[in-house]
Amino acid sequence: MAKIDETGVRNKRGKCEIRWYEGSIRRTEVLTIKYSPTGIQQAQKIRAHKEKAWATGEDREIGFVRAPTFNQMAQKYLDDLELTTSRSSLLSIGRRLENYWNHHLGAHVISQIKKREILEIVRTCRQNNLSPKSIRNVLSAGSAVFELAIIEEWITENPTTLVSKDVKVPKKKIDPFNQDEMDQVFPFLNKTDRLFYS
């Protein structure tokens, strides 16, 4: 089993994941190449090409299938959802994806999206004065897209899980009736409702 520090390639659910640097920024990408001795060699060539392309400013395709962009995966998710979801719910989810996710990350390869980029979406939500519950709904829409990418084996982890737990939805405080208020309401309740208060 090859070590990643020697080859720049590691096993991600049977596929080759490559890692390289663009200046001080580390990049990763899961390829559709099977993790095997032959696959590792092919992935190393792709990795070397990416390093050279960044250094020289070139960007040429070299005959491999790359992971889809977030926008492509989001569209596939919405297409699948259309079969099982009401039109109003579909429109709501579509708006969240379009206004926040696709705006920031639509062109990003889904296997390269990291926590720091999702934090930018949360920051934008807060700048737009969205409530914590609405922010959680935005994150939930994006999370479902990443879950689909996991099912299709483009990625192995959902990066939104690292962010959503930090968005706290405040619990609603219950203000129960005191005894005087109960005495005032009780005469107006029907017999069935009175059973809950007697």
mmCIF file of all heavy atoms in Angstrom, residues 131-181:
data_model
loop_
_atom_site.group_PDB
_atom_site.id
_atom_site.type_symbol
_atom_site.label_atom_id
_atom_site.label_comp_id
_atom_site.label_asym_id
_atom_site.label_seq_id
_atom_site.Cartn_x
_atom_site.Cartn_y
_atom_site.Cartn_z
ATOM 1 N N SER A 131 -32.139 34.189 10.472
ATOM 2 C CA SER A 131 -32.216 33.618 11.816
ATOM 3 C C SER A 131 -31.398 32.333 11.870
ATOM 4 O O SER A 131 -31.111 31.720 10.824
ATOM 5 C CB SER A 131 -33.670 33.316 12.167
ATOM 6 O OG SER A 131 -34.150 32.244 11.350
ATOM 7 N N PRO A 132 -31.006 31.879 13.073
ATOM 8 C CA PRO A 132 -30.277 30.608 13.173
ATOM 9 C C PRO A 132 -31.024 29.449 12.516
ATOM 10 O O PRO A 132 -30.410 28.599 11.863
ATOM 11 C CB PRO A 132 -30.146 30.403 14.685
ATOM 12 C CG PRO A 132 -30.131 31.788 15.239
ATOM 13 C CD PRO A 132 -31.088 32.561 14.372
ATOM 14 N N LYS A 133 -32.346 29.425 12.655
ATOM 15 C CA LYS A 133 -33.123 28.356 12.033
ATOM 16 C C LYS A 133 -33.020 28.416 10.508
ATOM 17 O O LYS A 133 -32.870 27.385 9.841
ATOM 18 C CB LYS A 133 -34.585 28.450 12.456
ATOM 19 C CG LYS A 133 -35.444 27.315 11.907
ATOM 20 C CD LYS A 133 -36.868 27.402 12.402
ATOM 21 C CE LYS A 133 -37.714 26.264 11.827
ATOM 22 N NZ LYS A 133 -39.123 26.340 12.274
ATOM 23 N N SER A 134 -33.082 29.617 9.936
ATOM 24 C CA SER A 134 -32.965 29.769 8.481
ATOM 25 C C SER A 134 -31.567 29.377 7.997
ATOM 26 O O SER A 134 -31.417 28.772 6.934
ATOM 27 C CB SER A 134 -33.274 31.210 8.068
ATOM 28 O OG SER A 134 -34.628 31.530 8.340
ATOM 29 N N ILE A 135 -30.555 29.714 8.795
ATOM 30 C CA ILE A 135 -29.181 29.316 8.436
ATOM 31 C C ILE A 135 -29.066 27.799 8.435
ATOM 32 O O ILE A 135 -28.452 27.206 7.536
ATOM 33 C CB ILE A 135 -28.159 29.944 9.403
ATOM 34 C CG1 ILE A 135 -28.171 31.464 9.269
ATOM 35 C CG2 ILE A 135 -26.756 29.401 9.129
ATOM 36 C CD1 ILE A 135 -27.304 32.185 10.285
ATOM 37 N N ARG A 136 -29.686 27.155 9.425
ATOM 38 C CA ARG A 136 -29.666 25.685 9.461
ATOM 39 C C ARG A 136 -30.359 25.109 8.231
ATOM 40 O O ARG A 136 -29.923 24.092 7.680
ATOM 41 C CB ARG A 136 -30.353 25.176 10.735
ATOM 42 C CG ARG A 136 -29.600 25.424 12.019
ATOM 43 C CD ARG A 136 -28.333 24.597 12.129
ATOM 44 N NE ARG A 136 -28.620 23.202 12.345
ATOM 45 C CZ ARG A 136 -28.622 22.608 13.534
ATOM 46 N NH1 ARG A 136 -28.329 23.319 14.613
ATOM 47 N NH2 ARG A 136 -28.877 21.339 13.659
ATOM 48 N N ASN A 137 -31.421 25.759 7.762
ATOM 49 C CA ASN A 137 -32.112 25.290 6.560
ATOM 50 C C ASN A 137 -31.224 25.426 5.323
ATOM 51 O O ASN A 137 -31.230 24.562 4.443
ATOM 52 C CB ASN A 137 -33.413 26.072 6.358
ATOM 53 C CG ASN A 137 -34.481 25.686 7.358
ATOM 54 O OD1 ASN A 137 -34.451 24.602 7.932
ATOM 55 N ND2 ASN A 137 -35.438 26.572 7.585
ATOM 56 N N VAL A 138 -30.459 26.523 5.251
ATOM 57 C CA VAL A 138 -29.519 26.713 4.137
ATOM 58 C C VAL A 138 -28.453 25.623 4.173
ATOM 59 O O VAL A 138 -28.127 25.002 3.149
ATOM 60 C CB VAL A 138 -28.873 28.114 4.201
ATOM 61 C CG1 VAL A 138 -27.701 28.207 3.215
ATOM 62 C CG2 VAL A 138 -29.900 29.190 3.896
ATOM 63 N N LEU A 139 -27.905 25.363 5.357
ATOM 64 C CA LEU A 139 -26.887 24.323 5.498
ATOM 65 C C LEU A 139 -27.451 22.946 5.177
ATOM 66 O O LEU A 139 -26.777 22.107 4.574
ATOM 67 C CB LEU A 139 -26.318 24.338 6.918
ATOM 68 C CG LEU A 139 -25.417 25.518 7.280
ATOM 69 C CD1 LEU A 139 -25.056 25.492 8.752
ATOM 70 C CD2 LEU A 139 -24.157 25.514 6.432
ATOM 71 N N SER A 140 -28.700 22.713 5.561
ATOM 72 C CA SER A 140 -29.336 21.422 5.294
ATOM 73 C C SER A 140 -29.469 21.166 3.796
ATOM 74 O O SER A 140 -29.258 20.039 3.323
ATOM 75 C CB SER A 140 -30.715 21.385 5.961
ATOM 76 O OG SER A 140 -31.376 20.173 5.663
ATOM 77 N N ALA A 141 -29.801 22.214 3.044
ATOM 78 C CA ALA A 141 -29.927 22.071 1.584
ATOM 79 C C ALA A 141 -28.585 21.669 0.975
ATOM 80 O O ALA A 141 -28.507 20.758 0.137
ATOM 81 C CB ALA A 141 -30.432 23.365 0.964
ATOM 82 N N GLY A 142 -27.523 22.334 1.393
ATOM 83 C CA GLY A 142 -26.198 21.988 0.884
ATOM 84 C C GLY A 142 -25.737 20.627 1.358
ATOM 85 O O GLY A 142 -25.119 19.862 0.602
ATOM 86 N N SER A 143 -26.057 20.298 2.604
ATOM 87 C CA SER A 143 -25.654 19.006 3.167
ATOM 88 C C SER A 143 -26.217 17.843 2.356
ATOM 89 O O SER A 143 -25.531 16.836 2.134
ATOM 90 C CB SER A 143 -26.137 18.906 4.620
ATOM 91 O OG SER A 143 -25.821 17.642 5.162
ATOM 92 N N ALA A 144 -27.456 17.987 1.901
ATOM 93 C CA ALA A 144 -28.082 16.923 1.110
ATOM 94 C C ALA A 144 -27.331 16.684 -0.202
ATOM 95 O O ALA A 144 -27.231 15.554 -0.686
ATOM 96 C CB ALA A 144 -29.537 17.280 0.825
ATOM 97 N N VAL A 145 -26.775 17.751 -0.764
ATOM 98 C CA VAL A 145 -25.988 17.623 -2.004
ATOM 99 C C VAL A 145 -24.699 16.845 -1.721
ATOM 100 O O VAL A 145 -24.315 15.956 -2.481
ATOM 101 C CB VAL A 145 -25.670 19.007 -2.602
ATOM 102 C CG1 VAL A 145 -24.771 18.880 -3.825
ATOM 103 C CG2 VAL A 145 -26.973 19.732 -2.973
ATOM 104 N N PHE A 146 -24.053 17.160 -0.601
ATOM 105 C CA PHE A 146 -22.835 16.428 -0.236
ATOM 106 C C PHE A 146 -23.143 14.959 0.069
ATOM 107 O O PHE A 146 -22.339 14.081 -0.243
ATOM 108 C CB PHE A 146 -22.156 17.090 0.963
ATOM 109 C CG PHE A 146 -21.461 18.378 0.633
ATOM 110 C CD1 PHE A 146 -21.976 19.594 1.065
ATOM 111 C CD2 PHE A 146 -20.297 18.384 -0.127
ATOM 112 C CE1 PHE A 146 -21.339 20.786 0.756
ATOM 113 C CE2 PHE A 146 -19.650 19.576 -0.439
ATOM 114 C CZ PHE A 146 -20.174 20.778 0.003
ATOM 115 N N GLU A 147 -24.297 14.699 0.665
ATOM 116 C CA GLU A 147 -24.672 13.314 0.944
ATOM 117 C C GLU A 147 -24.837 12.522 -0.357
ATOM 118 O O GLU A 147 -24.461 11.350 -0.440
ATOM 119 C CB GLU A 147 -25.971 13.260 1.765
ATOM 120 C CG GLU A 147 -25.822 13.708 3.205
ATOM 121 C CD GLU A 147 -24.853 12.849 4.002
ATOM 122 O OE1 GLU A 147 -24.834 11.618 3.797
ATOM 123 O OE2 GLU A 147 -24.101 13.409 4.821
ATOM 124 N N LEU A 148 -25.388 13.168 -1.369
ATOM 125 C CA LEU A 148 -25.507 12.514 -2.677
ATOM 126 C C LEU A 148 -24.119 12.235 -3.250
ATOM 127 O O LEU A 148 -23.877 11.175 -3.832
ATOM 128 C CB LEU A 148 -26.316 13.389 -3.633
ATOM 129 C CG LEU A 148 -26.472 12.850 -5.067
ATOM 130 C CD1 LEU A 148 -27.166 11.486 -5.073
ATOM 131 C CD2 LEU A 148 -27.257 13.851 -5.919
ATOM 132 N N ALA A 149 -23.207 13.189 -3.076
ATOM 133 C CA ALA A 149 -21.835 12.997 -3.567
ATOM 134 C C ALA A 149 -21.151 11.838 -2.849
ATOM 135 O O ALA A 149 -20.349 11.112 -3.454
ATOM 136 C CB ALA A 149 -21.032 14.283 -3.390
ATOM 137 N N ILE A 150 -21.477 11.636 -1.578
ATOM 138 C CA ILE A 150 -20.930 10.493 -0.829
ATOM 139 C C ILE A 150 -21.482 9.188 -1.401
ATOM 140 O O ILE A 150 -20.737 8.222 -1.626
ATOM 141 C CB ILE A 150 -21.261 10.614 0.673
ATOM 142 C CG1 ILE A 150 -20.443 11.746 1.304
ATOM 143 C CG2 ILE A 150 -20.969 9.298 1.398
ATOM 144 C CD1 ILE A 150 -20.816 12.061 2.736
ATOM 145 N N ILE A 151 -22.797 9.170 -1.660
ATOM 146 C CA ILE A 151 -23.424 7.970 -2.229
ATOM 147 C C ILE A 151 -22.788 7.605 -3.566
ATOM 148 O O ILE A 151 -22.559 6.427 -3.870
ATOM 149 C CB ILE A 151 -24.943 8.189 -2.390
ATOM 150 C CG1 ILE A 151 -25.622 8.255 -1.014
ATOM 151 C CG2 ILE A 151 -25.576 7.090 -3.243
ATOM 152 C CD1 ILE A 151 -27.065 8.702 -1.055
ATOM 153 N N GLU A 152 -22.480 8.629 -4.355
ATOM 154 C CA GLU A 152 -21.884 8.391 -5.672
ATOM 155 C C GLU A 152 -20.359 8.272 -5.614
ATOM 156 O O GLU A 152 -19.692 8.179 -6.644
ATOM 157 C CB GLU A 152 -22.303 9.510 -6.632
ATOM 158 C CG GLU A 152 -23.808 9.529 -6.857
ATOM 159 C CD GLU A 152 -24.216 10.277 -8.104
ATOM 160 O OE1 GLU A 152 -23.355 10.935 -8.720
ATOM 161 O OE2 GLU A 152 -25.400 10.179 -8.468
ATOM 162 N N GLU A 153 -19.827 8.289 -4.376
ATOM 163 C CA GLU A 153 -18.407 8.025 -4.116
ATOM 164 C C GLU A 153 -17.451 9.076 -4.688
ATOM 165 O O GLU A 153 -16.312 8.777 -5.026
ATOM 166 C CB GLU A 153 -18.011 6.619 -4.604
ATOM 167 C CG GLU A 153 -18.786 5.521 -3.902
ATOM 168 C CD GLU A 153 -18.319 4.124 -4.278
ATOM 169 O OE1 GLU A 153 -17.499 3.999 -5.209
ATOM 170 O OE2 GLU A 153 -18.765 3.165 -3.640
ATOM 171 N N TRP A 154 -17.912 10.310 -4.752
ATOM 172 C CA TRP A 154 -17.011 11.402 -5.131
ATOM 173 C C TRP A 154 -16.262 11.916 -3.920
ATOM 174 O O TRP A 154 -15.153 12.434 -4.036
ATOM 175 C CB TRP A 154 -17.787 12.541 -5.782
ATOM 176 C CG TRP A 154 -18.395 12.197 -7.108
ATOM 177 C CD1 TRP A 154 -19.722 12.096 -7.411
ATOM 178 C CD2 TRP A 154 -17.693 11.895 -8.324
ATOM 179 N NE1 TRP A 154 -19.888 11.745 -8.728
ATOM 180 C CE2 TRP A 154 -18.659 11.622 -9.322
ATOM 181 C CE3 TRP A 154 -16.348 11.841 -8.670
ATOM 182 C CZ2 TRP A 154 -18.325 11.301 -10.638
ATOM 183 C CZ3 TRP A 154 -16.005 11.519 -9.981
ATOM 184 C CH2 TRP A 154 -16.993 11.254 -10.945
ATOM 185 N N ILE A 155 -16.903 11.837 -2.757
ATOM 186 C CA ILE A 155 -16.278 12.266 -1.506
ATOM 187 C C ILE A 155 -16.576 11.217 -0.441
ATOM 188 O O ILE A 155 -17.429 10.334 -0.647
ATOM 189 C CB ILE A 155 -16.806 13.649 -1.041
ATOM 190 C CG1 ILE A 155 -18.332 13.624 -0.864
ATOM 191 C CG2 ILE A 155 -16.399 14.743 -2.017
ATOM 192 C CD1 ILE A 155 -18.902 14.919 -0.307
ATOM 193 N N THR A 156 -15.886 11.317 0.680
ATOM 194 C CA THR A 156 -16.100 10.348 1.762
ATOM 195 C C THR A 156 -16.682 10.986 3.020
ATOM 196 O O THR A 156 -17.157 10.287 3.901
ATOM 197 C CB THR A 156 -14.781 9.660 2.133
ATOM 198 O OG1 THR A 156 -13.832 10.652 2.530
ATOM 199 C CG2 THR A 156 -14.232 8.873 0.950
ATOM 200 N N GLU A 157 -16.637 12.319 3.111
ATOM 201 C CA GLU A 157 -17.144 13.011 4.292
ATOM 202 C C GLU A 157 -17.971 14.223 3.887
ATOM 203 O O GLU A 157 -17.713 14.835 2.852
ATOM 204 C CB GLU A 157 -15.981 13.462 5.190
ATOM 205 C CG GLU A 157 -15.160 12.305 5.724
ATOM 206 C CD GLU A 157 -13.939 12.774 6.500
ATOM 207 O OE1 GLU A 157 -13.599 13.975 6.375
ATOM 208 O OE2 GLU A 157 -13.339 11.963 7.204
ATOM 209 N N ASN A 158 -18.943 14.559 4.717
ATOM 210 C CA ASN A 158 -19.799 15.718 4.472
ATOM 211 C C ASN A 158 -19.253 16.907 5.260
ATOM 212 O O ASN A 158 -19.340 16.928 6.492
ATOM 213 C CB ASN A 158 -21.227 15.395 4.918
ATOM 214 C CG ASN A 158 -22.214 16.480 4.558
ATOM 215 O OD1 ASN A 158 -21.848 17.639 4.405
ATOM 216 N ND2 ASN A 158 -23.466 16.121 4.446
ATOM 217 N N PRO A 159 -18.671 17.909 4.586
ATOM 218 C CA PRO A 159 -18.037 19.020 5.313
ATOM 219 C C PRO A 159 -19.012 19.908 6.075
ATOM 220 O O PRO A 159 -18.599 20.651 6.962
ATOM 221 C CB PRO A 159 -17.323 19.803 4.209
ATOM 222 C CG PRO A 159 -18.080 19.483 2.957
ATOM 223 C CD PRO A 159 -18.556 18.064 3.128
ATOM 224 N N THR A 160 -20.297 19.854 5.757
ATOM 225 C CA THR A 160 -21.247 20.719 6.474
ATOM 226 C C THR A 160 -21.439 20.274 7.919
ATOM 227 O O THR A 160 -21.836 21.075 8.758
ATOM 228 C CB THR A 160 -22.623 20.748 5.778
ATOM 229 O OG1 THR A 160 -23.165 19.429 5.748
ATOM 230 C CG2 THR A 160 -22.523 21.296 4.372
ATOM 231 N N THR A 161 -21.163 18.989 8.214
ATOM 232 C CA THR A 161 -21.334 18.512 9.587
ATOM 233 C C THR A 161 -20.379 19.213 10.543
ATOM 234 O O THR A 161 -20.652 19.311 11.736
ATOM 235 C CB THR A 161 -21.128 16.992 9.674
ATOM 236 O OG1 THR A 161 -19.805 16.672 9.198
ATOM 237 C CG2 THR A 161 -22.145 16.244 8.837
ATOM 238 N N LEU A 162 -19.271 19.717 10.016
ATOM 239 C CA LEU A 162 -18.300 20.429 10.847
ATOM 240 C C LEU A 162 -18.753 21.845 11.168
ATOM 241 O O LEU A 162 -18.211 22.482 12.058
ATOM 242 C CB LEU A 162 -16.945 20.490 10.136
ATOM 243 C CG LEU A 162 -16.315 19.150 9.761
ATOM 244 C CD1 LEU A 162 -15.084 19.367 8.880
ATOM 245 C CD2 LEU A 162 -15.957 18.360 11.004
ATOM 246 N N VAL A 163 -19.765 22.317 10.440
ATOM 247 C CA VAL A 163 -20.219 23.702 10.576
ATOM 248 C C VAL A 163 -21.593 23.784 11.235
ATOM 249 O O VAL A 163 -21.824 24.617 12.119
ATOM 250 C CB VAL A 163 -20.266 24.400 9.195
ATOM 251 C CG1 VAL A 163 -20.814 25.815 9.313
ATOM 252 C CG2 VAL A 163 -18.879 24.423 8.568
ATOM 253 N N SER A 164 -22.514 22.912 10.830
ATOM 254 C CA SER A 164 -23.905 23.026 11.275
ATOM 255 C C SER A 164 -24.052 22.912 12.789
ATOM 256 O O SER A 164 -24.928 23.538 13.385
ATOM 257 C CB SER A 164 -24.777 21.971 10.586
ATOM 258 O OG SER A 164 -24.313 20.672 10.867
ATOM 259 N N LYS A 165 -23.181 22.128 13.436
ATOM 260 C CA LYS A 165 -23.290 21.974 14.897
ATOM 261 C C LYS A 165 -22.962 23.270 15.635
ATOM 262 O O LYS A 165 -23.315 23.430 16.806
ATOM 263 C CB LYS A 165 -22.376 20.850 15.376
ATOM 264 C CG LYS A 165 -20.899 21.096 15.145
ATOM 265 C CD LYS A 165 -20.074 19.896 15.578
ATOM 266 C CE LYS A 165 -18.584 20.131 15.328
ATOM 267 N NZ LYS A 165 -17.782 18.952 15.720
ATOM 268 N N ASP A 166 -22.283 24.203 14.943
ATOM 269 C CA ASP A 166 -21.938 25.479 15.569
ATOM 270 C C ASP A 166 -23.040 26.530 15.423
ATOM 271 O O ASP A 166 -22.946 27.606 16.008
ATOM 272 C CB ASP A 166 -20.640 26.035 14.957
ATOM 273 C CG ASP A 166 -19.451 25.130 15.250
ATOM 274 O OD1 ASP A 166 -19.460 24.479 16.306
ATOM 275 O OD2 ASP A 166 -18.531 25.081 14.418
ATOM 276 N N VAL A 167 -24.060 26.212 14.603
ATOM 277 C CA VAL A 167 -25.177 27.146 14.417
ATOM 278 C C VAL A 167 -26.290 26.715 15.355
ATOM 279 O O VAL A 167 -27.020 25.762 15.091
ATOM 280 C CB VAL A 167 -25.665 27.158 12.954
ATOM 281 C CG1 VAL A 167 -26.824 28.142 12.794
ATOM 282 C CG2 VAL A 167 -24.522 27.522 12.011
ATOM 283 N N LYS A 168 -26.389 27.379 16.472
ATOM 284 C CA LYS A 168 -27.347 27.000 17.506
ATOM 285 C C LYS A 168 -28.698 27.674 17.282
ATOM 286 O O LYS A 168 -28.769 28.879 17.059
ATOM 287 C CB LYS A 168 -26.822 27.385 18.890
ATOM 288 C CG LYS A 168 -25.429 26.854 19.209
ATOM 289 C CD LYS A 168 -25.404 25.350 19.328
ATOM 290 C CE LYS A 168 -24.025 24.862 19.760
ATOM 291 N NZ LYS A 168 -23.931 23.401 19.770
ATOM 292 N N VAL A 169 -29.752 26.874 17.329
ATOM 293 C CA VAL A 169 -31.115 27.413 17.264
ATOM 294 C C VAL A 169 -31.616 27.535 18.698
ATOM 295 O O VAL A 169 -31.722 26.528 19.404
ATOM 296 C CB VAL A 169 -32.041 26.489 16.450
ATOM 297 C CG1 VAL A 169 -33.466 27.033 16.454
ATOM 298 C CG2 VAL A 169 -31.517 26.329 15.036
ATOM 299 N N PRO A 170 -31.890 28.773 19.163
ATOM 300 C CA PRO A 170 -32.325 28.927 20.563
ATOM 301 C C PRO A 170 -33.651 28.227 20.823
ATOM 302 O O PRO A 170 -34.556 28.238 19.982
ATOM 303 C CB PRO A 170 -32.469 30.449 20.718
ATOM 304 C CG PRO A 170 -32.610 30.979 19.326
ATOM 305 C CD PRO A 170 -31.864 30.038 18.435
ATOM 306 N N LYS A 171 -33.715 27.582 21.976
ATOM 307 C CA LYS A 171 -34.950 26.895 22.344
ATOM 308 C C LYS A 171 -36.005 27.921 22.753
ATOM 309 O O LYS A 171 -35.703 28.914 23.420
ATOM 310 C CB LYS A 171 -34.686 25.935 23.504
ATOM 311 C CG LYS A 171 -33.785 24.773 23.128
ATOM 312 C CD LYS A 171 -33.605 23.832 24.312
ATOM 313 C CE LYS A 171 -32.719 22.650 23.917
ATOM 314 N NZ LYS A 171 -32.510 21.727 25.064
ATOM 315 N N LYS A 172 -37.228 27.667 22.336
ATOM 316 C CA LYS A 172 -38.317 28.568 22.700
ATOM 317 C C LYS A 172 -38.664 28.381 24.179
ATOM 318 O O LYS A 172 -38.789 27.263 24.661
ATOM 319 C CB LYS A 172 -39.550 28.280 21.838
ATOM 320 C CG LYS A 172 -39.369 28.661 20.376
ATOM 321 C CD LYS A 172 -40.650 28.415 19.597
ATOM 322 C CE LYS A 172 -40.482 28.830 18.135
ATOM 323 N NZ LYS A 172 -41.720 28.591 17.355
ATOM 324 N N LYS A 173 -38.791 29.504 24.860
ATOM 325 C CA LYS A 173 -39.176 29.439 26.260
ATOM 326 C C LYS A 173 -40.702 29.285 26.373
ATOM 327 O O LYS A 173 -41.450 30.008 25.720
ATOM 328 C CB LYS A 173 -38.734 30.702 26.984
ATOM 329 C CG LYS A 173 -37.215 30.826 27.110
ATOM 330 C CD LYS A 173 -36.832 32.070 27.897
ATOM 331 C CE LYS A 173 -35.322 32.173 28.032
ATOM 332 N NZ LYS A 173 -34.932 33.391 28.795
ATOM 333 N N ILE A 174 -41.110 28.333 27.164
ATOM 334 C CA ILE A 174 -42.540 28.091 27.369
ATOM 335 C C ILE A 174 -43.014 28.951 28.530
ATOM 336 O O ILE A 174 -42.393 28.968 29.600
ATOM 337 C CB ILE A 174 -42.799 26.599 27.660
ATOM 338 C CG1 ILE A 174 -42.341 25.759 26.462
ATOM 339 C CG2 ILE A 174 -44.270 26.359 27.977
ATOM 340 C CD1 ILE A 174 -42.408 24.273 26.692
ATOM 341 N N ASP A 175 -44.070 29.678 28.285
ATOM 342 C CA ASP A 175 -44.648 30.539 29.320
ATOM 343 C C ASP A 175 -46.016 29.978 29.699
ATOM 344 O O ASP A 175 -47.046 30.368 29.134
ATOM 345 C CB ASP A 175 -44.768 31.973 28.784
ATOM 346 C CG ASP A 175 -45.284 32.930 29.839
ATOM 347 O OD1 ASP A 175 -45.210 32.587 31.038
ATOM 348 O OD2 ASP A 175 -45.771 34.009 29.462
ATOM 349 N N PRO A 176 -46.068 29.046 30.652
ATOM 350 C CA PRO A 176 -47.346 28.394 30.989
ATOM 351 C C PRO A 176 -48.292 29.330 31.741
ATOM 352 O O PRO A 176 -47.867 30.321 32.340
ATOM 353 C CB PRO A 176 -46.908 27.224 31.875
ATOM 354 C CG PRO A 176 -45.633 27.690 32.497
ATOM 355 C CD PRO A 176 -44.963 28.565 31.477
ATOM 356 N N PHE A 177 -49.582 28.990 31.671
ATOM 357 C CA PHE A 177 -50.569 29.755 32.439
ATOM 358 C C PHE A 177 -50.324 29.550 33.931
ATOM 359 O O PHE A 177 -49.998 28.450 34.372
ATOM 360 C CB PHE A 177 -51.995 29.273 32.122
ATOM 361 C CG PHE A 177 -52.465 29.647 30.746
ATOM 362 C CD1 PHE A 177 -53.162 28.727 29.968
ATOM 363 C CD2 PHE A 177 -52.229 30.899 30.223
ATOM 364 C CE1 PHE A 177 -53.614 29.061 28.702
ATOM 365 C CE2 PHE A 177 -52.671 31.246 28.952
ATOM 366 C CZ PHE A 177 -53.373 30.323 28.195
ATOM 367 N N ASN A 178 -50.495 30.634 34.688
ATOM 368 C CA ASN A 178 -50.509 30.458 36.146
ATOM 369 C C ASN A 178 -51.926 30.062 36.563
ATOM 370 O O ASN A 178 -52.839 29.977 35.733
ATOM 371 C CB ASN A 178 -50.025 31.732 36.861
ATOM 372 C CG ASN A 178 -50.906 32.930 36.541
ATOM 373 O OD1 ASN A 178 -52.121 32.809 36.375
ATOM 374 N ND2 ASN A 178 -50.271 34.106 36.445
ATOM 375 N N GLN A 179 -52.116 29.818 37.837
ATOM 376 C CA GLN A 179 -53.407 29.296 38.292
ATOM 377 C C GLN A 179 -54.558 30.279 38.041
ATOM 378 O O GLN A 179 -55.653 29.879 37.637
ATOM 379 C CB GLN A 179 -53.345 28.949 39.788
ATOM 380 C CG GLN A 179 -54.571 28.189 40.286
ATOM 381 C CD GLN A 179 -54.793 26.883 39.548
ATOM 382 O OE1 GLN A 179 -53.866 26.084 39.430
ATOM 383 N NE2 GLN A 179 -55.998 26.651 39.030
ATOM 384 N N ASP A 180 -54.302 31.565 38.229
ATOM 385 C CA ASP A 180 -55.354 32.565 37.987
ATOM 386 C C ASP A 180 -55.775 32.569 36.517
ATOM 387 O O ASP A 180 -56.967 32.649 36.192
ATOM 388 C CB ASP A 180 -54.874 33.964 38.383
ATOM 389 C CG ASP A 180 -54.771 34.115 39.899
ATOM 390 O OD1 ASP A 180 -55.425 33.320 40.621
ATOM 391 O OD2 ASP A 180 -54.039 35.007 40.348
ATOM 392 N N GLU A 181 -54.801 32.482 35.639
ATOM 393 C CA GLU A 181 -55.105 32.461 34.197
ATOM 394 C C GLU A 181 -55.855 31.185 33.828
ATOM 395 O O GLU A 181 -56.778 31.216 33.004
ATOM 396 C CB GLU A 181 -53.801 32.570 33.397
ATOM 397 C CG GLU A 181 -53.141 33.946 33.512
ATOM 398 C CD GLU A 181 -51.745 33.982 32.936
ATOM 399 O OE1 GLU A 181 -51.060 32.931 32.951
ATOM 400 O OE2 GLU A 181 -51.327 35.054 32.465
#
